[in-house]
Amino acid sequence: CSSNNQCPNIRRRFQNCNGSFNLLGIKLPTCNDNYRQIGGRCINRTDFFCSLAGKRNCNYRRCAECLSSDDCPPCYSCTSNTCNYVCQSDRNRFRVSSGSNLN
């Protein structure tokens, strides 16, 4: 990309907590996730390995996937303008240790 208008819009999540409901005398807030489009962003990047090698012209531009974690789906965090998975995986929940005897 060479300008912001060449990049897709970024979808930003925000919560609207205007209402509440009464549950056994306790007021609980009601919140809804809402989304709005913010303009795309063309960001400057540097190729780390190119710089490490001492070469010139290591800079390039690319479209940002996110500007903050509110731009990413649940369980993702925005790092270096990219959404990265951060939630704990359930893969190891049922793993049997190697020392167990299943007879």
Side-chain angles (χ1 to χ4, degrees):
C1 62
S2 59
S3 68
N4 289 340
N5 63 2
Q6 292 177 320
C7 295
N9 284 332
I10 296 172
R11 184 178 175 206
R12 176 149 301 161
R13 182 183 71 241
F14 64 97
Q15 280 195 331
N16 181 3
C17 297
N18 289 336
S20 65
F21 70 93
N22 194 340
L23 178 67
L24 303 174
I26 302 171
K27 272 191 160 183
L28 299 173
T30 56
C31 298
N32 296 315
D33 281 344
N34 293 307
Y35 298 89
R36 63 184 160 106
Q37 299 289 332
I38 60 173
R41 298 292 190 281
C42 184
I43 56 171
N44 294 318
R45 303 290 297 187
T46 301
D47 183 333
F48 173 75
F49 294 108
C50 175
S51 299
L52 194 62
K55 297 181 181 179
R56 295 183 184 176
N57 299 327
C58 296
N59 298 329
Y60 63 97
R61 293 173 62 89
R62 73 170 178 93
C63 293
E65 185 177 346
C66 57
L67 302 177
S68 76
S69 292
D70 289 332
D71 304 336
C72 299
C75 285
Y76 286 78
S77 177
C78 185
T79 306
S80 300
N81 302 105
T82 302
C83 293
N84 297 293
Y85 189 74
V86 294
C87 285
Q88 191 76 323
S89 173
D90 287 339
R91 280 184 285 190
N92 297 327
R93 181 188 292 180
F94 300 108
R95 191 169 76 185
V96 178
S97 68
S98 59
S100 65
N101 186 354
L102 299 176
N103 292 337

